[in-house]
Amino acid sequence: MTDISEIYETIYEAIDEFHASKGEGVLEKSPETILFGAGSALDSMGLVDLIVTIEQSLEDKLDVVITLTDERAVSRKNSPFRTVEALAQYIHLLMKEQPDG
Amino acid sequence: MDDTRVMLITGTRKGIGRWLVEHYAEQGLMVIGCSRGEKTFDHANYRHYTLDVADENQVRSMFSDIRKTDKRLDVLINNAGTASMNHSILTPSKTVRKILETNTLGTFLFCREAAKLMKKRGFGRIVNFGTVATPLKLEGEAAYAASKAAVLTLTQIFAREFAEMGITVNAVGPSPILTDLIRSVPEERIQAILQRQAIPRFGEFRDVLNVIEFFIQPESDFVTGQTIFLGGVS
């Protein structure tokens, strides 16, 4: 079972890759960093880019294929995209739900 | 760096999908195909996945494999489709669900996953499949025509959402072609449909190919969200 620290590490690597592709750094690598909604440094397209980069990093680093655009992602009262911490916990949950999780 | 273009075609076991695979593999593209059945074509430039286009997990796994193996995707042709010709009162919900899953959900999933892959290089061409049954409002094809009407709406909205990624999304709407899809339709019914076209003949694979070629050529980077119906149907 993947430890949540590995998920944080993967998200931070994805943030590095995201910054490299944009040519600028706007996101702090911290659990409290806001990704979605008020206070986020990302516009809607930036969030899409980051989510795709994280999905691909999870495939490459942790060998897990999950879809982060799960319906709970947009229907939850507290969106799992709100902060890095919420996203890490959401990914951890999705990985646990996988057949071999 | 390998500059071989990579094309993904759905529904490649038979019919036009199989024909397109042969055509583009011979043209030197790396062609990836998929269908619910095993592959029916072997070529050095062809790789096949056996899957259901509406199964999200299978689709995600295939795209993950394409990303790792081919590192790119230039063209997606969403050809996979299923139909059922029957009066709506005699059509079971199970049939409607299957048509919507294959035609509409399948197209949605493949466009979504293809865009994730294409955006990395800032280039992509997606061609979806509609049908003249939608503008002709054909009786007996309610579920099929509606599922394809949804594909045309998806095409228009994806065109806007993916534009800034350098991806164009268009659709071809074939008129009747002699394939398995219309095998069960009575001859007189097919003839009646042909007579509603400006050019009343059966479509051929080359007619569809011609439209695809136009949409995917590099010069068509200002053409997106469009549907071209064959046979003069509008």
Side-chain angles (χ1 to χ4, degrees), chain A residues 17 45 48-49 52-53 55-57 59-60 63-69, chain B residues 56-57 60-61 63-65 67-68 112-113 116-117 119-120 161 164-165:
Chain A
E17 192 183 331
M45 204 56 215
V48 168
D49 280 346
V52 171
T53 304
E55 275 186 359
Q56 293 174 349
S57 293
E59 290 174 23
D60 293 339
D63 198 26
V64 59
V65 179
I66 55 175
T67 305
L68 291 176
T69 48
Chain B
E56 186 170 25
N57 290 335
R60 283 278 288 125
S61 293
F63 272 93
S64 175
D65 199 49
R67 191 174 67 80
K68 289 172 182 169
R112 187 188 75 188
E113 295 305 316
K116 292 178 186 175
L117 205 45
K119 70 188 288 297
K120 289 274 180 190
E161 290 187 348
E164 65 181 283
M165 305 173 192

PDB file of all heavy atoms in Angstrom, chain A residues 17 45 48-49 52-53 55-57 59-60 63-69, chain B residues 56-57 60-61 63-65 67-68 112-113 116-117 119-120 161 164-165:
ATOM      1  N   GLU A  17       7.049  19.923 -12.524  1.00  0.00           N
ATOM      2  CA  GLU A  17       6.887  19.734 -13.976  1.00  0.00           C
ATOM      3  C   GLU A  17       5.926  20.780 -14.538  1.00  0.00           C
ATOM      4  O   GLU A  17       6.142  21.321 -15.624  1.00  0.00           O
ATOM      5  CB  GLU A  17       6.367  18.321 -14.242  1.00  0.00           C
ATOM      6  CG  GLU A  17       6.431  17.928 -15.708  1.00  0.00           C
ATOM      7  CD  GLU A  17       5.839  16.542 -15.966  1.00  0.00           C
ATOM      8  OE1 GLU A  17       5.894  15.698 -15.050  1.00  0.00           O
ATOM      9  OE2 GLU A  17       5.316  16.327 -17.073  1.00  0.00           O
ATOM     10  N   MET A  45      -7.827  26.684 -16.533  1.00  0.00           N
ATOM     11  CA  MET A  45      -6.977  25.898 -17.434  1.00  0.00           C
ATOM     12  C   MET A  45      -5.719  25.430 -16.703  1.00  0.00           C
ATOM     13  O   MET A  45      -5.221  24.328 -16.948  1.00  0.00           O
ATOM     14  CB  MET A  45      -6.599  26.752 -18.652  1.00  0.00           C
ATOM     15  CG  MET A  45      -6.243  25.955 -19.866  1.00  0.00           C
ATOM     16  SD  MET A  45      -7.572  24.833 -20.341  1.00  0.00           S
ATOM     17  CE  MET A  45      -6.593  23.473 -20.925  1.00  0.00           C
ATOM     18  N   VAL A  48      -6.649  22.371 -14.780  1.00  0.00           N
ATOM     19  CA  VAL A  48      -6.738  21.221 -15.690  1.00  0.00           C
ATOM     20  C   VAL A  48      -5.336  20.691 -15.999  1.00  0.00           C
ATOM     21  O   VAL A  48      -5.072  19.483 -15.926  1.00  0.00           O
ATOM     22  CB  VAL A  48      -7.460  21.616 -17.005  1.00  0.00           C
ATOM     23  CG1 VAL A  48      -7.306  20.523 -18.062  1.00  0.00           C
ATOM     24  CG2 VAL A  48      -8.938  21.884 -16.740  1.00  0.00           C
ATOM     25  N   ASP A  49      -4.431  21.597 -16.324  1.00  0.00           N
ATOM     26  CA  ASP A  49      -3.045  21.196 -16.645  1.00  0.00           C
ATOM     27  C   ASP A  49      -2.409  20.456 -15.474  1.00  0.00           C
ATOM     28  O   ASP A  49      -1.764  19.421 -15.650  1.00  0.00           O
ATOM     29  CB  ASP A  49      -2.198  22.435 -16.972  1.00  0.00           C
ATOM     30  CG  ASP A  49      -2.426  22.925 -18.381  1.00  0.00           C
ATOM     31  OD1 ASP A  49      -3.027  22.163 -19.166  1.00  0.00           O
ATOM     32  OD2 ASP A  49      -2.015  24.052 -18.690  1.00  0.00           O
ATOM     33  N   VAL A  52      -3.925  16.923 -14.879  1.00  0.00           N
ATOM     34  CA  VAL A  52      -3.441  15.960 -15.881  1.00  0.00           C
ATOM     35  C   VAL A  52      -1.993  15.576 -15.580  1.00  0.00           C
ATOM     36  O   VAL A  52      -1.618  14.394 -15.649  1.00  0.00           O
ATOM     37  CB  VAL A  52      -3.567  16.550 -17.306  1.00  0.00           C
ATOM     38  CG1 VAL A  52      -2.867  15.646 -18.328  1.00  0.00           C
ATOM     39  CG2 VAL A  52      -5.032  16.718 -17.682  1.00  0.00           C
ATOM     40  N   THR A  53      -1.188  16.551 -15.212  1.00  0.00           N
ATOM     41  CA  THR A  53       0.217  16.264 -14.890  1.00  0.00           C
ATOM     42  C   THR A  53       0.315  15.339 -13.676  1.00  0.00           C
ATOM     43  O   THR A  53       1.137  14.413 -13.653  1.00  0.00           O
ATOM     44  CB  THR A  53       0.975  17.586 -14.608  1.00  0.00           C
ATOM     45  OG1 THR A  53       0.835  18.443 -15.741  1.00  0.00           O
ATOM     46  CG2 THR A  53       2.454  17.332 -14.364  1.00  0.00           C
ATOM     47  N   GLU A  55      -2.029  13.156 -12.666  1.00  0.00           N
ATOM     48  CA  GLU A  55      -2.483  11.809 -13.102  1.00  0.00           C
ATOM     49  C   GLU A  55      -1.330  11.063 -13.772  1.00  0.00           C
ATOM     50  O   GLU A  55      -1.095   9.879 -13.513  1.00  0.00           O
ATOM     51  CB  GLU A  55      -3.632  11.940 -14.113  1.00  0.00           C
ATOM     52  CG  GLU A  55      -5.006  12.086 -13.497  1.00  0.00           C
ATOM     53  CD  GLU A  55      -6.119  12.056 -14.554  1.00  0.00           C
ATOM     54  OE1 GLU A  55      -5.813  11.941 -15.763  1.00  0.00           O
ATOM     55  OE2 GLU A  55      -7.294  12.159 -14.167  1.00  0.00           O
ATOM     56  N   GLN A  56      -0.608  11.766 -14.652  1.00  0.00           N
ATOM     57  CA  GLN A  56       0.475  11.114 -15.398  1.00  0.00           C
ATOM     58  C   GLN A  56       1.666  10.802 -14.484  1.00  0.00           C
ATOM     59  O   GLN A  56       2.329   9.775 -14.645  1.00  0.00           O
ATOM     60  CB  GLN A  56       0.881  11.992 -16.594  1.00  0.00           C
ATOM     61  CG  GLN A  56      -0.261  12.064 -17.612  1.00  0.00           C
ATOM     62  CD  GLN A  56      -0.023  13.016 -18.772  1.00  0.00           C
ATOM     63  OE1 GLN A  56       0.925  13.806 -18.756  1.00  0.00           O
ATOM     64  NE2 GLN A  56      -0.876  12.961 -19.782  1.00  0.00           N
ATOM     65  N   SER A  57       1.910  11.656 -13.508  1.00  0.00           N
ATOM     66  CA  SER A  57       2.987  11.377 -12.548  1.00  0.00           C
ATOM     67  C   SER A  57       2.656  10.158 -11.689  1.00  0.00           C
ATOM     68  O   SER A  57       3.533   9.359 -11.365  1.00  0.00           O
ATOM     69  CB  SER A  57       3.208  12.589 -11.637  1.00  0.00           C
ATOM     70  OG  SER A  57       3.714  13.668 -12.372  1.00  0.00           O
ATOM     71  N   GLU A  59       0.921   7.649 -12.642  1.00  0.00           N
ATOM     72  CA  GLU A  59       1.164   6.492 -13.509  1.00  0.00           C
ATOM     73  C   GLU A  59       2.652   6.161 -13.564  1.00  0.00           C
ATOM     74  O   GLU A  59       3.054   5.007 -13.465  1.00  0.00           O
ATOM     75  CB  GLU A  59       0.659   6.776 -14.928  1.00  0.00           C
ATOM     76  CG  GLU A  59      -0.856   6.842 -15.048  1.00  0.00           C
ATOM     77  CD  GLU A  59      -1.304   7.276 -16.436  1.00  0.00           C
ATOM     78  OE1 GLU A  59      -0.533   7.114 -17.405  1.00  0.00           O
ATOM     79  OE2 GLU A  59      -2.422   7.797 -16.546  1.00  0.00           O
ATOM     80  N   ASP A  60       3.451   7.206 -13.715  1.00  0.00           N
ATOM     81  CA  ASP A  60       4.894   6.989 -13.911  1.00  0.00           C
ATOM     82  C   ASP A  60       5.601   6.601 -12.613  1.00  0.00           C
ATOM     83  O   ASP A  60       6.442   5.712 -12.591  1.00  0.00           O
ATOM     84  CB  ASP A  60       5.535   8.259 -14.483  1.00  0.00           C
ATOM     85  CG  ASP A  60       5.048   8.561 -15.890  1.00  0.00           C
ATOM     86  OD1 ASP A  60       4.565   7.618 -16.553  1.00  0.00           O
ATOM     87  OD2 ASP A  60       5.137   9.724 -16.320  1.00  0.00           O
ATOM     88  N   ASP A  63       2.900   3.803 -10.604  1.00  0.00           N
ATOM     89  CA  ASP A  63       2.326   2.752 -11.438  1.00  0.00           C
ATOM     90  C   ASP A  63       0.846   2.516 -11.130  1.00  0.00           C
ATOM     91  O   ASP A  63       0.379   1.384 -11.036  1.00  0.00           O
ATOM     92  CB  ASP A  63       3.121   1.448 -11.274  1.00  0.00           C
ATOM     93  CG  ASP A  63       2.850   0.473 -12.417  1.00  0.00           C
ATOM     94  OD1 ASP A  63       2.491   0.943 -13.512  1.00  0.00           O
ATOM     95  OD2 ASP A  63       2.984  -0.747 -12.203  1.00  0.00           O
ATOM     96  N   VAL A  64       0.123   3.607 -10.979  1.00  0.00           N
ATOM     97  CA  VAL A  64      -1.311   3.495 -10.693  1.00  0.00           C
ATOM     98  C   VAL A  64      -2.079   4.374 -11.684  1.00  0.00           C
ATOM     99  O   VAL A  64      -1.709   5.523 -11.931  1.00  0.00           O
ATOM    100  CB  VAL A  64      -1.620   3.885  -9.230  1.00  0.00           C
ATOM    101  CG1 VAL A  64      -1.179   5.310  -8.927  1.00  0.00           C
ATOM    102  CG2 VAL A  64      -3.092   3.744  -8.927  1.00  0.00           C
ATOM    103  N   VAL A  65      -3.119   3.799 -12.288  1.00  0.00           N
ATOM    104  CA  VAL A  65      -3.923   4.540 -13.266  1.00  0.00           C
ATOM    105  C   VAL A  65      -5.255   4.897 -12.612  1.00  0.00           C
ATOM    106  O   VAL A  65      -6.109   4.034 -12.402  1.00  0.00           O
ATOM    107  CB  VAL A  65      -4.173   3.697 -14.536  1.00  0.00           C
ATOM    108  CG1 VAL A  65      -5.043   4.474 -15.529  1.00  0.00           C
ATOM    109  CG2 VAL A  65      -2.854   3.300 -15.178  1.00  0.00           C
ATOM    110  N   ILE A  66      -5.395   6.154 -12.240  1.00  0.00           N
ATOM    111  CA  ILE A  66      -6.670   6.599 -11.660  1.00  0.00           C
ATOM    112  C   ILE A  66      -7.133   7.870 -12.363  1.00  0.00           C
ATOM    113  O   ILE A  66      -6.324   8.616 -12.918  1.00  0.00           O
ATOM    114  CB  ILE A  66      -6.586   6.842 -10.136  1.00  0.00           C
ATOM    115  CG1 ILE A  66      -5.467   7.825  -9.796  1.00  0.00           C
ATOM    116  CG2 ILE A  66      -6.438   5.563  -9.374  1.00  0.00           C
ATOM    117  CD1 ILE A  66      -5.447   8.184  -8.322  1.00  0.00           C
ATOM    118  N   THR A  67      -8.441   8.071 -12.324  1.00  0.00           N
ATOM    119  CA  THR A  67      -9.020   9.267 -12.940  1.00  0.00           C
ATOM    120  C   THR A  67      -9.394  10.240 -11.836  1.00  0.00           C
ATOM    121  O   THR A  67     -10.259   9.946 -11.010  1.00  0.00           O
ATOM    122  CB  THR A  67     -10.273   8.888 -13.755  1.00  0.00           C
ATOM    123  OG1 THR A  67      -9.916   7.875 -14.704  1.00  0.00           O
ATOM    124  CG2 THR A  67     -10.822  10.096 -14.496  1.00  0.00           C
ATOM    125  N   LEU A  68      -8.743  11.388 -11.840  1.00  0.00           N
ATOM    126  CA  LEU A  68      -8.999  12.353 -10.763  1.00  0.00           C
ATOM    127  C   LEU A  68     -10.292  13.129 -10.987  1.00  0.00           C
ATOM    128  O   LEU A  68     -10.757  13.827 -10.104  1.00  0.00           O
ATOM    129  CB  LEU A  68      -7.817  13.310 -10.623  1.00  0.00           C
ATOM    130  CG  LEU A  68      -6.546  12.650 -10.071  1.00  0.00           C
ATOM    131  CD1 LEU A  68      -5.389  13.635 -10.050  1.00  0.00           C
ATOM    132  CD2 LEU A  68      -6.788  12.098  -8.678  1.00  0.00           C
ATOM    133  N   THR A  69     -10.852  13.009 -12.194  1.00  0.00           N
ATOM    134  CA  THR A  69     -12.116  13.688 -12.457  1.00  0.00           C
ATOM    135  C   THR A  69     -13.289  12.795 -12.067  1.00  0.00           C
ATOM    136  O   THR A  69     -14.263  12.691 -12.773  1.00  0.00           O
ATOM    137  CB  THR A  69     -12.219  14.071 -13.943  1.00  0.00           C
ATOM    138  OG1 THR A  69     -11.862  12.917 -14.715  1.00  0.00           O
ATOM    139  CG2 THR A  69     -11.301  15.205 -14.277  1.00  0.00           C
TER     140      THR A  69
ATOM    141  N   GLU B  56     -14.424   2.883 -18.714  1.00  0.00           N
ATOM    142  CA  GLU B  56     -13.471   3.945 -18.380  1.00  0.00           C
ATOM    143  C   GLU B  56     -12.114   3.404 -17.933  1.00  0.00           C
ATOM    144  O   GLU B  56     -11.075   3.930 -18.332  1.00  0.00           O
ATOM    145  CB  GLU B  56     -14.061   4.855 -17.299  1.00  0.00           C
ATOM    146  CG  GLU B  56     -13.186   6.061 -16.992  1.00  0.00           C
ATOM    147  CD  GLU B  56     -13.897   7.077 -16.108  1.00  0.00           C
ATOM    148  OE1 GLU B  56     -14.819   6.673 -15.370  1.00  0.00           O
ATOM    149  OE2 GLU B  56     -13.539   8.262 -16.170  1.00  0.00           O
ATOM    150  N   ASN B  57     -12.118   2.375 -17.120  1.00  0.00           N
ATOM    151  CA  ASN B  57     -10.844   1.845 -16.627  1.00  0.00           C
ATOM    152  C   ASN B  57     -10.011   1.250 -17.753  1.00  0.00           C
ATOM    153  O   ASN B  57      -8.790   1.453 -17.817  1.00  0.00           O
ATOM    154  CB  ASN B  57     -11.080   0.797 -15.534  1.00  0.00           C
ATOM    155  CG  ASN B  57     -11.597   1.428 -14.256  1.00  0.00           C
ATOM    156  OD1 ASN B  57     -11.365   2.607 -14.000  1.00  0.00           O
ATOM    157  ND2 ASN B  57     -12.311   0.652 -13.471  1.00  0.00           N
ATOM    158  N   ARG B  60      -8.689   4.180 -19.856  1.00  0.00           N
ATOM    159  CA  ARG B  60      -7.597   4.884 -19.173  1.00  0.00           C
ATOM    160  C   ARG B  60      -6.301   4.069 -19.246  1.00  0.00           C
ATOM    161  O   ARG B  60      -5.221   4.624 -19.456  1.00  0.00           O
ATOM    162  CB  ARG B  60      -7.963   5.118 -17.702  1.00  0.00           C
ATOM    163  CG  ARG B  60      -8.931   6.247 -17.477  1.00  0.00           C
ATOM    164  CD  ARG B  60      -8.240   7.621 -17.461  1.00  0.00           C
ATOM    165  NE  ARG B  60      -7.452   7.828 -16.268  1.00  0.00           N
ATOM    166  CZ  ARG B  60      -6.162   8.142 -16.261  1.00  0.00           C
ATOM    167  NH1 ARG B  60      -5.504   8.275 -17.384  1.00  0.00           N
ATOM    168  NH2 ARG B  60      -5.517   8.324 -15.124  1.00  0.00           N
ATOM    169  N   SER B  61      -6.422   2.758 -19.051  1.00  0.00           N
ATOM    170  CA  SER B  61      -5.225   1.904 -19.096  1.00  0.00           C
ATOM    171  C   SER B  61      -4.599   1.916 -20.483  1.00  0.00           C
ATOM    172  O   SER B  61      -3.377   1.960 -20.616  1.00  0.00           O
ATOM    173  CB  SER B  61      -5.587   0.468 -18.710  1.00  0.00           C
ATOM    174  OG  SER B  61      -5.957   0.423 -17.359  1.00  0.00           O
ATOM    175  N   PHE B  63      -4.741   4.344 -22.744  1.00  0.00           N
ATOM    176  CA  PHE B  63      -4.084   5.633 -22.972  1.00  0.00           C
ATOM    177  C   PHE B  63      -2.791   5.745 -22.160  1.00  0.00           C
ATOM    178  O   PHE B  63      -1.817   6.342 -22.616  1.00  0.00           O
ATOM    179  CB  PHE B  63      -5.042   6.791 -22.662  1.00  0.00           C
ATOM    180  CG  PHE B  63      -5.883   7.188 -23.832  1.00  0.00           C
ATOM    181  CD1 PHE B  63      -7.138   6.642 -24.012  1.00  0.00           C
ATOM    182  CD2 PHE B  63      -5.416   8.075 -24.784  1.00  0.00           C
ATOM    183  CE1 PHE B  63      -7.921   6.985 -25.107  1.00  0.00           C
ATOM    184  CE2 PHE B  63      -6.185   8.431 -25.885  1.00  0.00           C
ATOM    185  CZ  PHE B  63      -7.445   7.882 -26.044  1.00  0.00           C
ATOM    186  N   SER B  64      -2.788   5.174 -20.970  1.00  0.00           N
ATOM    187  CA  SER B  64      -1.569   5.170 -20.170  1.00  0.00           C
ATOM    188  C   SER B  64      -0.473   4.411 -20.912  1.00  0.00           C
ATOM    189  O   SER B  64       0.686   4.845 -20.964  1.00  0.00           O
ATOM    190  CB  SER B  64      -1.850   4.516 -18.812  1.00  0.00           C
ATOM    191  OG  SER B  64      -0.668   4.388 -18.065  1.00  0.00           O
ATOM    192  N   ASP B  65      -0.846   3.296 -21.508  1.00  0.00           N
ATOM    193  CA  ASP B  65       0.108   2.486 -22.263  1.00  0.00           C
ATOM    194  C   ASP B  65       0.601   3.238 -23.501  1.00  0.00           C
ATOM    195  O   ASP B  65       1.795   3.215 -23.827  1.00  0.00           O
ATOM    196  CB  ASP B  65      -0.562   1.165 -22.668  1.00  0.00           C
ATOM    197  CG  ASP B  65       0.455   0.112 -23.030  1.00  0.00           C
ATOM    198  OD1 ASP B  65       1.399  -0.083 -22.237  1.00  0.00           O
ATOM    199  OD2 ASP B  65       0.337  -0.500 -24.099  1.00  0.00           O
ATOM    200  N   ARG B  67       0.799   6.455 -23.862  1.00  0.00           N
ATOM    201  CA  ARG B  67       1.682   7.542 -23.419  1.00  0.00           C
ATOM    202  C   ARG B  67       3.083   7.018 -23.125  1.00  0.00           C
ATOM    203  O   ARG B  67       4.081   7.646 -23.473  1.00  0.00           O
ATOM    204  CB  ARG B  67       1.097   8.214 -22.176  1.00  0.00           C
ATOM    205  CG  ARG B  67       1.786   9.510 -21.790  1.00  0.00           C
ATOM    206  CD  ARG B  67       1.062  10.185 -20.655  1.00  0.00           C
ATOM    207  NE  ARG B  67       1.142   9.447 -19.419  1.00  0.00           N
ATOM    208  CZ  ARG B  67       2.199   9.465 -18.598  1.00  0.00           C
ATOM    209  NH1 ARG B  67       3.251  10.215 -18.888  1.00  0.00           N
ATOM    210  NH2 ARG B  67       2.193   8.762 -17.494  1.00  0.00           N
ATOM    211  N   LYS B  68       3.142   5.838 -22.483  1.00  0.00           N
ATOM    212  CA  LYS B  68       4.447   5.286 -22.131  1.00  0.00           C
ATOM    213  C   LYS B  68       5.166   4.688 -23.351  1.00  0.00           C
ATOM    214  O   LYS B  68       6.378   4.788 -23.468  1.00  0.00           O
ATOM    215  CB  LYS B  68       4.286   4.214 -21.052  1.00  0.00           C
ATOM    216  CG  LYS B  68       3.905   4.798 -19.701  1.00  0.00           C
ATOM    217  CD  LYS B  68       3.551   3.716 -18.702  1.00  0.00           C
ATOM    218  CE  LYS B  68       3.127   4.325 -17.372  1.00  0.00           C
ATOM    219  NZ  LYS B  68       2.538   3.354 -16.465  1.00  0.00           N
ATOM    220  N   ARG B 112     -11.639  12.944 -24.217  1.00  0.00           N
ATOM    221  CA  ARG B 112     -11.056  13.450 -22.964  1.00  0.00           C
ATOM    222  C   ARG B 112      -9.636  12.932 -22.770  1.00  0.00           C
ATOM    223  O   ARG B 112      -8.709  13.715 -22.515  1.00  0.00           O
ATOM    224  CB  ARG B 112     -11.940  13.024 -21.779  1.00  0.00           C
ATOM    225  CG  ARG B 112     -11.533  13.632 -20.454  1.00  0.00           C
ATOM    226  CD  ARG B 112     -12.306  13.017 -19.302  1.00  0.00           C
ATOM    227  NE  ARG B 112     -11.817  11.679 -18.989  1.00  0.00           N
ATOM    228  CZ  ARG B 112     -12.407  10.835 -18.127  1.00  0.00           C
ATOM    229  NH1 ARG B 112     -13.507  11.193 -17.515  1.00  0.00           N
ATOM    230  NH2 ARG B 112     -11.888   9.653 -17.896  1.00  0.00           N
ATOM    231  N   GLU B 113      -9.459  11.635 -22.931  1.00  0.00           N
ATOM    232  CA  GLU B 113      -8.133  11.064 -22.693  1.00  0.00           C
ATOM    233  C   GLU B 113      -7.146  11.470 -23.788  1.00  0.00           C
ATOM    234  O   GLU B 113      -5.967  11.685 -23.509  1.00  0.00           O
ATOM    235  CB  GLU B 113      -8.226   9.539 -22.576  1.00  0.00           C
ATOM    236  CG  GLU B 113      -9.020   9.072 -21.366  1.00  0.00           C
ATOM    237  CD  GLU B 113      -8.512   9.643 -20.045  1.00  0.00           C
ATOM    238  OE1 GLU B 113      -7.291   9.659 -19.829  1.00  0.00           O
ATOM    239  OE2 GLU B 113      -9.343  10.098 -19.243  1.00  0.00           O
ATOM    240  N   LYS B 116      -5.688  14.919 -23.125  1.00  0.00           N
ATOM    241  CA  LYS B 116      -4.633  14.929 -22.102  1.00  0.00           C
ATOM    242  C   LYS B 116      -3.277  14.616 -22.725  1.00  0.00           C
ATOM    243  O   LYS B 116      -2.256  15.167 -22.331  1.00  0.00           O
ATOM    244  CB  LYS B 116      -4.945  13.890 -21.015  1.00  0.00           C
ATOM    245  CG  LYS B 116      -6.154  14.194 -20.161  1.00  0.00           C
ATOM    246  CD  LYS B 116      -6.373  13.054 -19.167  1.00  0.00           C
ATOM    247  CE  LYS B 116      -7.651  13.216 -18.361  1.00  0.00           C
ATOM    248  NZ  LYS B 116      -7.906  12.061 -17.483  1.00  0.00           N
ATOM    249  N   LEU B 117      -3.299  13.697 -23.679  1.00  0.00           N
ATOM    250  CA  LEU B 117      -2.052  13.270 -24.327  1.00  0.00           C
ATOM    251  C   LEU B 117      -1.597  14.293 -25.366  1.00  0.00           C
ATOM    252  O   LEU B 117      -0.409  14.607 -25.476  1.00  0.00           O
ATOM    253  CB  LEU B 117      -2.309  11.909 -24.985  1.00  0.00           C
ATOM    254  CG  LEU B 117      -1.178  10.948 -25.233  1.00  0.00           C
ATOM    255  CD1 LEU B 117      -0.252  10.836 -24.039  1.00  0.00           C
ATOM    256  CD2 LEU B 117      -1.759   9.576 -25.569  1.00  0.00           C
ATOM    257  N   LYS B 119      -2.260  17.513 -25.577  1.00  0.00           N
ATOM    258  CA  LYS B 119      -1.948  18.864 -25.096  1.00  0.00           C
ATOM    259  C   LYS B 119      -0.472  19.039 -24.779  1.00  0.00           C
ATOM    260  O   LYS B 119       0.059  20.141 -24.861  1.00  0.00           O
ATOM    261  CB  LYS B 119      -2.808  19.237 -23.885  1.00  0.00           C
ATOM    262  CG  LYS B 119      -2.479  18.482 -22.610  1.00  0.00           C
ATOM    263  CD  LYS B 119      -3.514  18.768 -21.533  1.00  0.00           C
ATOM    264  CE  LYS B 119      -3.369  20.168 -20.978  1.00  0.00           C
ATOM    265  NZ  LYS B 119      -2.068  20.376 -20.293  1.00  0.00           N
ATOM    266  N   LYS B 120       0.205  17.943 -24.447  1.00  0.00           N
ATOM    267  CA  LYS B 120       1.628  18.039 -24.115  1.00  0.00           C
ATOM    268  C   LYS B 120       2.444  18.606 -25.274  1.00  0.00           C
ATOM    269  O   LYS B 120       3.415  19.326 -25.077  1.00  0.00           O
ATOM    270  CB  LYS B 120       2.183  16.650 -23.750  1.00  0.00           C
ATOM    271  CG  LYS B 120       1.706  16.128 -22.424  1.00  0.00           C
ATOM    272  CD  LYS B 120       2.590  16.632 -21.291  1.00  0.00           C
ATOM    273  CE  LYS B 120       2.090  16.102 -19.951  1.00  0.00           C
ATOM    274  NZ  LYS B 120       2.781  16.753 -18.829  1.00  0.00           N
ATOM    275  N   GLU B 161     -13.205  23.927 -25.993  1.00  0.00           N
ATOM    276  CA  GLU B 161     -12.397  23.646 -24.798  1.00  0.00           C
ATOM    277  C   GLU B 161     -10.956  23.279 -25.146  1.00  0.00           C
ATOM    278  O   GLU B 161     -10.037  23.571 -24.382  1.00  0.00           O
ATOM    279  CB  GLU B 161     -13.035  22.512 -23.988  1.00  0.00           C
ATOM    280  CG  GLU B 161     -14.342  22.912 -23.317  1.00  0.00           C
ATOM    281  CD  GLU B 161     -14.887  21.849 -22.365  1.00  0.00           C
ATOM    282  OE1 GLU B 161     -14.396  20.696 -22.381  1.00  0.00           O
ATOM    283  OE2 GLU B 161     -15.806  22.164 -21.602  1.00  0.00           O
ATOM    284  N   GLU B 164      -7.291  25.989 -27.240  1.00  0.00           N
ATOM    285  CA  GLU B 164      -6.047  26.589 -26.749  1.00  0.00           C
ATOM    286  C   GLU B 164      -4.953  25.555 -26.518  1.00  0.00           C
ATOM    287  O   GLU B 164      -3.808  25.902 -26.220  1.00  0.00           O
ATOM    288  CB  GLU B 164      -6.299  27.411 -25.483  1.00  0.00           C
ATOM    289  CG  GLU B 164      -6.747  26.634 -24.287  1.00  0.00           C
ATOM    290  CD  GLU B 164      -6.979  27.574 -23.082  1.00  0.00           C
ATOM    291  OE1 GLU B 164      -5.987  27.996 -22.479  1.00  0.00           O
ATOM    292  OE2 GLU B 164      -8.153  27.866 -22.782  1.00  0.00           O
ATOM    293  N   MET B 165      -5.299  24.281 -26.656  1.00  0.00           N
ATOM    294  CA  MET B 165      -4.292  23.218 -26.568  1.00  0.00           C
ATOM    295  C   MET B 165      -3.751  22.860 -27.957  1.00  0.00           C
ATOM    296  O   MET B 165      -2.941  21.938 -28.085  1.00  0.00           O
ATOM    297  CB  MET B 165      -4.899  21.956 -25.945  1.00  0.00           C
ATOM    298  CG  MET B 165      -5.542  22.158 -24.595  1.00  0.00           C
ATOM    299  SD  MET B 165      -6.395  20.630 -24.080  1.00  0.00           S
ATOM    300  CE  MET B 165      -7.351  21.216 -22.683  1.00  0.00           C
TER     301      MET B 165
END
